[in-house]
Every structure is written in C-alpha cells, then in structure tokens.
Amino acid sequence: MSFINYSSREIILKIVYYGPGLCGKTTNIKFIYAGTNPDARGKLISLETKQERTLFFDFLPLSLPAIRGFKTRLHLYSVPGQLFYSASRKLIMKGADGVIFVADSQRERMEANVISFEDLQENLAAYGYDINTIPFVIQYNKRDLPNAVPVEELRARLNPDGQFPDFESIAAAPNGPGVFDTLKAVVKMILMELKKGGN
Amino acid sequence: MYNAQMVIYEAEYQRLTEICEKLLRDSMARAVFLVDKVGQLITSVGQTANIDTTSLASLVAGATAATGGLANLLGEEEFPSHYHQGARDSIYIALIGEQLILTIIFDNRSTEGLVRLRVKRAEGDLKRVFSDLSQKASAAAETKNNSLFSEITDEDIEELFSDTF
C-alpha cells in the first residue's frame, strides 16, 4: 500500500525482505545501510536476539531523490526467518508494496527455501495479495559458499517458469554483489505497477 | 487489492494536525503522533525535535500489530489501546478506526487518565476527517485524478538511484 502525502510531497514505499532463517535478509539491509549516502538514510532498527536472529523485524528508511516533485522514501523491512515466528512475519507483510525473497544457496537449505516460499504465498494471500501480481524479486544469496547449488537448481524449485526477476548475490561480501541490483529491481517494478494503476 | 493506496491531501493534513494540536494542549502531553497501521507517520505535533519520528512510527505500528495479535490469541478482536509507563516519559497508544494509530507521549505533568479522556474526545473528530479523506481518495482513484505516477518515465526511475547508493 503506497503512501502519498500531498502535504509533505512524499511517496513512501514499503519493501519486505522474506526468506528462511539465516538466509541473509538482515545482512542485505545492513549492507544497504552501509552503502547508502548518510544523508539519504535513517536509523537502522534491528530487533534481533543475541544470536543474530531477527526477533520481530529490521527497519531501514531510505530517501531517494524527488520524482515529479515528490520525495521518494523507501521503508525496508525484513521478517524473522525462523519457522516459529510465523505470526510476526504475517504482521510485517501488512501493506507491503513489494517483496524480495532471499534464498539461501546452500544445498542443505534448499527445503527451507521451499517451505519459506510457500509460507510467503500463504501470508500474501492472507492480505489479498497474489505473488503473481505484487512486485516480487528473488535473490539467490551466498553464491560464494562451496556448498552452493547451481543457480539452475534453485530456479527449478523457486522460479521454474522464470516469471520472477532473479539475481545472484553475496550480501556478506565487502562489495555485496547483487544486493543493490535486487533492491533497484523491486523499486522499478513497484513504480511501474503504480504507473499502470495497479490493475 | 494491491493498489490500496493511502493518500493524504493538504486540507485533511491540516485538519488532522489541528486536532492533534488541540489534543496536545488539552492532555498536557509532550508530543502527539498520528501514524497509519503500516508504520507511516501522518502528522506529529509538540516536542518532536529530539525524536526519530520515522523510527517511532514504524515501532508503534509494530507494537500495535503485535498487541493485536495477542488480542486475537485471547479471542478478542482488538485491544483498542495500550500504555507503556516509563520513569520519566510514558506513551499511550490508541487505535482510531481501522487504519490510524494515535500516539501520545507525556511526562509527569499529565496522567494516563487525562490522556485517555482527551483521546476519546479527539477520536470522533479524527474519524470524521479520515472518512472524508477516504471518500476523496476513492473519488480521485475512480476518475484517475490521482495519476501522479502516470507521468513517471523510465529515466525518472533510473535517476532515482544515481546519487543515493
């Protein structure tokens, strides 16, 4: 649900990072925080446990330049990945304009990816969204790890028809390849969808 | 369903802000924030200079969503308000209709009882403005009057990212 404020002349878009536990959702957001001009970013809020598990959500507000005279603000959220935080995940999906699914490329996490993907579809449906119509991008993360499966294998399970834009990434690497590409892709999709009128 | 936008126009923004200003005075609060359930700040009044209002809006919406989840677990539809008491400042959070969250920060010059009473009085006014706003926004959507996005070009989108990352 985009938010347009004619008084402050700003548009706010909510983007949610989804995916199984420890796939790198928070790492994506921390990398974006570190790589963004300090004037363009707000405070990063991370509600996580001591074991780096997101307990409720991460939140990062970003300011992009004005578009047609309206400041564009992105509110990035990540959900807790572990299965038993299902209730929290659902709450955070409310009002999402776009979703990034972060898949863990490690072979032993393949089933976790699939389960999380199904969970995402259920949570989207709970708010009347459809994965085929909401702006949605997949990121195959941890491509540098020795136990990473070939991208084709991940695609076969998560994106068999190739209908979703997908990107390879290493969010934990110093230059975080793929992280900004994924974010830009979903922002473009949201704006194009709004341009169309969202129907 | 996807494109359920929230749109705030100047006139309604002014009316909402005036209601919050009156509430601020009447409840002797430090600050009043009006937030939507998704976590976006609509307006704020009072001593807000030292508060990260964007973070506050997001956390208030998160806390309210979690409180609503607790209510559902107990078979309640909602807990219409929740209150957090601090040593110096306290925070009172009330649901207003389906979409708004009113947040009042106050210190020992006021009390929870006074805040609760004044919130009840402001509630009807806020709902009225929000109802007008919803009608206006849906009328605009029907006539495609709200086509701010229709003029956006691919170049506009590309330029969004050039200086930020």
Side-chain angles (χ1 to χ4, degrees):
Chain A
M1 184 183 79
S2 56
F3 179 97
I4 305 170
N5 190 332
Y6 279 84
S7 179
S8 55
R9 299 190 73 75
E10 60 184 18
I11 306 164
I12 303 176
L13 307 177
K14 176 171 177 175
I15 296 165
V16 178
Y17 284 78
Y18 211 95
L22 297 176
C23 68
K25 299 175 291 293
T26 301
T27 311
N28 261 270
I29 288 189
K30 285 185 173 169
F31 182 81
I32 291 163
Y33 178 80
T36 304
N37 181 344
D39 296 338
R41 68 185 188 204
K43 192 176 168 197
L44 170 66
I45 292 177
S46 222
L47 305 178
E48 59 185 14
T49 65
K50 285 182 182 156
Q51 290 80 35
E52 296 193 337
R53 297 285 206 161
T54 301
L55 183 60
F56 195 7
F57 60 80
D58 303 308
F59 172 68
L60 175 63
L62 297 175
S63 303
L64 300 184
I67 188 164
R68 303 280 144 178
F70 278 71
K71 285 170 277 184
T72 314
R73 301 195 191 281
L74 306 182
H75 284 182
L76 308 186
Y77 285 82
S78 76
V79 300
Q82 287 169 289
L83 275 178
F84 59 84
Y85 287 130
S86 173
S88 305
R89 264 195 301 282
K90 188 174 161 193
L91 299 176
I92 294 155
M93 292 309 292
K94 185 179 175 71
D97 291 298
V99 179
I100 293 170
F101 184 84
V102 181
D104 191 326
S105 294
Q106 299 177 91
R107 181 166 300 283
E108 56 272 30
R109 298 299 287 161
M110 188 65 98
E111 283 314 304
N113 289 327
V114 173
I115 292 168
S116 178
F117 196 83
E118 288 168 356
D119 177 65
L120 167 64
Q121 287 174 292
E122 281 173 25
N123 280 333
L124 285 173
Y127 290 115
Y129 298 148
D130 178 348
I131 203 165
N132 297 305
T133 52
I134 191 170
F136 178 68
V137 174
I138 299 178
Q139 180 190 81
Y140 307 117
N141 193 27
K142 308 194 188 183
R143 295 306 305 154
D144 57 326
L145 294 187
N147 51 347
V149 299
V151 169
E152 292 68 32
E153 253 182 75
L154 286 156
R155 264 196 198 120
R157 298 296 298 276
L158 302 172
N159 195 11
D161 302 325
Q163 67 196 102
F164 309 118
D166 53 9
F167 297 86
E168 295 183 46
S169 78
I170 313 172
N175 58 345
V179 171
F180 280 116
D181 296 332
T182 317
L183 177 61
K184 285 180 190 176
V186 84
V187 172
K188 277 186 195 175
M189 286 175 82
I190 296 170
L191 290 172
M192 296 316 285
E193 192 66 28
L194 289 169
K195 185 176 171 174
K196 276 196 306 190
N199 300 316
Chain B
M1 178 68 200
Y2 162 67
N3 198 25
Q5 282 174 0
M6 178 180 274
V7 182
I8 305 285
Y9 298 102
E10 182 73 36
E12 284 74 20
Y13 173 81
Q14 294 297 348
R15 287 169 66 195
L16 293 169
T17 305
E18 281 164 19
I19 296 166
C20 290
E21 279 170 348
K22 183 172 187 318
L23 174 62
L24 178 82
R25 287 192 304 272
D26 291 351
S27 62
M28 300 169 72
R30 280 188 54 211
V32 174
F33 300 83
L34 190 64
V35 175
D36 84 342
K37 274 195 171 174
V38 174
Q40 282 134 359
L41 180 69
I42 295 170
T43 188
S44 61
V45 299
Q47 298 166 30
T48 58
N50 295 321
I51 298 174
D52 178 346
T53 54
T54 307
S55 298
L56 179 133
S58 158
L59 289 170
V60 160
T64 304
T67 305
L70 282 172
N72 293 339
L73 274 183
L74 299 182
E76 291 283 336
E77 196 175 325
E78 276 291 3
F79 289 137
S81 65
H82 48 122
Y83 168 55
H84 306 276
Q85 185 173 18
R88 188 175 45 107
D89 287 321
S90 298
I91 187 162
Y92 182 85
I93 298 171
L95 289 176
I96 306 290
E98 294 286 309
Q99 272 184 287
L100 302 180
I101 307 169
L102 189 57
T103 304
I104 297 96
I105 296 175
F106 61 97
D107 57 22
N108 56 13
R109 288 175 306 157
S110 185
T111 63
E112 188 211 348
L114 178 65
V115 170
R116 187 187 292 270
L117 180 72
R118 300 306 190 200
V119 164
K120 278 220 178 310
R121 291 191 183 167
E123 187 176 359
D125 294 340
L126 288 169
K127 279 184 178 168
R128 261 189 299 283
V129 178
F130 202 70
S131 158
D132 293 349
L133 187 61
S134 304
Q135 283 176 12
K136 200 165 165 180
S138 48
E142 270 176 29
T143 58
K144 299 266 174 197
N145 195 12
N146 171 31
S147 55
L148 163 68
F149 296 103
S150 62
E151 296 171 7
I152 292 176
T153 62
D154 289 353
E155 289 76 42
D156 287 335
I157 296 175
E158 279 300 324
E159 281 176 16
L160 271 182
F161 300 107
S162 53
D163 296 329
T164 311
F165 303 139

